[in-house]
Amino acid sequence: LNPKASGEITAVYVKDGQQVAKGQAIAQIDTTDAYQSLKDAQANLKSAQLSLAKLQEPEDDLTLAQAQNKLDQATQTIATDNTTNFNDVADAFLDLPSIITGLNTIDFGTTASHGTQWNIDYFMAQASQYTSSPSEAKAYRDNAYNAYNAAKASYDKAFADYQAASRGADASTTAALLQETYETTRLIANAVKLSNSLIQYYQDKLTSLNYSPIAESNTDLNSLNSYTGKVNSHLTQLLSDINNLQNHQAAVTEARLNLEKLKSGPDDLDVQTSQLTIEQRQNA
C-alpha cells in the first residue's frame, strides 16, 4: 500500500488474508490535522481576497484630503523658506562688503612697510630673514594672495547677483542666490584664515628670536579674528538654510507623488502580485 496521506490509523476495516474489491475502504487515518490544514488554507485564501479587494477599492475623500493638505503645507513651507533665505542672504551682505574691503587693506595695503610694498610681501620678506626655508614664507604669502583673489572674484559676482535680485524673487532664484552666497562666504572665510596664517607665521618667527613684531601686525590679527567670527556665523546660518530647503523640497516631492499615487489607484504590479497570492492559496 502507498497511501497519499500520512497519519495515525484510527480504524482497520479488513482482516489479514481477506479478499477486497476496488474502492473498498481498508483503513481510516485520523483527519484532525488535515481538516485543520484545510481551515487554515481557506482562511489564508479569504485574507488574500480581502487584501485584493482593499487594494482595488478607491481611496476615500478623507484620505485624499489629508494627502492634499500635506502637499499644501509642504509647499507653504517652501514659500516661508524663500523669505527666510533671502533675509539671511541680505544679512550676509551687510557684513561681507566691509570684510572683503578690510581684507584687501590688510593684504595689499602698505602700512607695514610704510608705503614701500604690499603688507603680505613685507611679512613674507621679514619672516624669510629668520627661517631656514624662505620658500616656506613665500608659500604662506602666495596662499593668502591666491585665496583673496578667489574670494574677491566670487564676491563681485555674488554681490552683483544679490543687487539684481528682489525680495519677491521666485524660489529657484533665491535658492541659487543662497548657494552662491554660501560659496562666496566660504571662500572669504578661507582668505581670512590664510591671511591670519601669514601674519601669525611672521610673528612666530620674530618672537622665537626675541624680536618684537610691528604693532600693525597685532592690529591686523585683531581685525582678522573679528572677520572670522562674522563669516563663521553667516556660514552656519546659510548652510542651515540650504539643508532645510533641500529637506523641504524633498517633502514636497514626496507629498506630491503620494497624492498622485492615491488618485491613480493601485499599481498594476501590486494587483498582479495580490492575484498571484490568491491563486497560490487557492491551490493550497
Side-chain angles (χ1 to χ4, degrees):
L1 297 178
N2 293 298
K4 294 182 178 180
S6 61
E8 182 180 355
I9 299 296
T10 58
V12 178
Y13 302 122
V14 294
K15 295 180 179 180
D16 190 21
Q18 178 182 333
Q19 184 175 356
V20 297
K22 181 179 180 181
Q24 179 180 340
I26 296 175
Q28 179 174 320
I29 297 177
D30 185 2
T31 60
T32 302
D33 292 341
Y35 278 126
Q36 186 59 51
S37 296
L38 177 60
K39 288 180 180 179
D40 291 342
Q42 289 171 333
N44 289 336
L45 173 59
K46 184 63 176 179
S47 176
Q49 292 170 332
L50 290 174
S51 296
L52 176 60
K54 184 177 180 180
L55 181 64
Q56 294 176 318
E57 188 177 77
E59 295 295 338
D60 59 83
D61 292 341
L62 176 59
T63 301
L64 292 174
Q66 290 173 335
Q68 182 65 59
N69 288 339
K70 188 173 183 179
L71 175 58
D72 292 342
Q73 291 171 0
T75 303
Q76 181 57 45
T77 301
I78 295 293
T80 302
D81 285 345
N82 199 42
T83 300
T84 300
N85 294 344
F86 191 91
N87 289 341
D88 289 339
V89 167
D91 287 344
F93 278 107
L94 290 176
D95 288 329
L96 294 184
S98 61
I99 293 175
I100 201 73
T101 299
L103 189 57
N104 178 277
T105 300
I106 290 173
D107 286 348
F108 304 110
T110 58
T111 54
S113 65
H114 302 289
T116 61
Q117 61 187 154
W118 285 344
N119 292 336
I120 57 174
D121 290 333
Y122 171 84
F123 292 131
M124 176 191 70
Q126 292 299 308
S128 296
Q129 299 179 38
Y130 306 106
T131 178
S132 59
S133 177
S135 62
E136 185 178 62
K138 185 176 185 304
Y140 275 96
R141 180 266 184 203
D142 290 347
N143 287 340
Y145 176 84
N146 293 331
Y148 172 83
N149 286 334
K152 183 62 165 61
S154 180
Y155 166 81
D156 288 341
K157 183 178 183 307
F159 187 68
D161 291 340
Y162 165 67
Q163 293 283 53
S166 65
R167 190 168 295 277
D170 59 62
S172 60
T173 299
T174 302
L177 183 60
L178 174 66
Q179 185 67 43
E180 185 179 28
T181 304
Y182 171 76
E183 293 299 333
T184 295
T185 305
R186 187 179 61 81
L187 289 173
I188 291 176
N190 186 55
V192 169
K193 173 180 175 293
L194 292 177
S195 292
N196 187 299
S197 296
L198 170 62
I199 298 174
Q200 193 64 61
Y201 175 78
Y202 153 78
Q203 287 196 345
D204 290 345
K205 289 303 178 184
L206 267 66
T207 56
S208 66
L209 298 173
N210 295 321
Y211 294 124
S212 298
I214 60 173
E216 288 83 355
S217 65
N218 289 323
T219 301
D220 290 344
L221 286 178
N222 288 334
S223 296
L224 291 170
N225 288 335
S226 174
Y227 298 159
T228 297
K230 291 180 179 180
V231 294
N232 284 348
S233 176
H234 289 303
L235 279 176
T236 299
Q237 185 58 58
L238 293 170
L239 182 58
S240 176
D241 290 343
I242 290 172
N243 290 335
N244 286 337
L245 180 60
Q246 291 175 345
N247 291 335
H248 296 159
Q249 287 173 333
V252 169
T253 300
E254 181 180 346
R256 185 182 67 254
L257 292 176
N258 181 59
L259 179 59
E260 291 174 353
K261 182 177 181 180
L262 290 175
K263 289 181 176 180
S264 64
D267 182 77
D268 289 342
L269 288 178
D270 289 339
V271 172
Q272 292 176 22
T273 300
S274 186
Q275 290 171 335
L276 178 60
T277 299
I278 289 176
E279 183 178 341
Q280 292 171 337
R281 292 184 180 179
Q282 284 173 332
N283 292 338

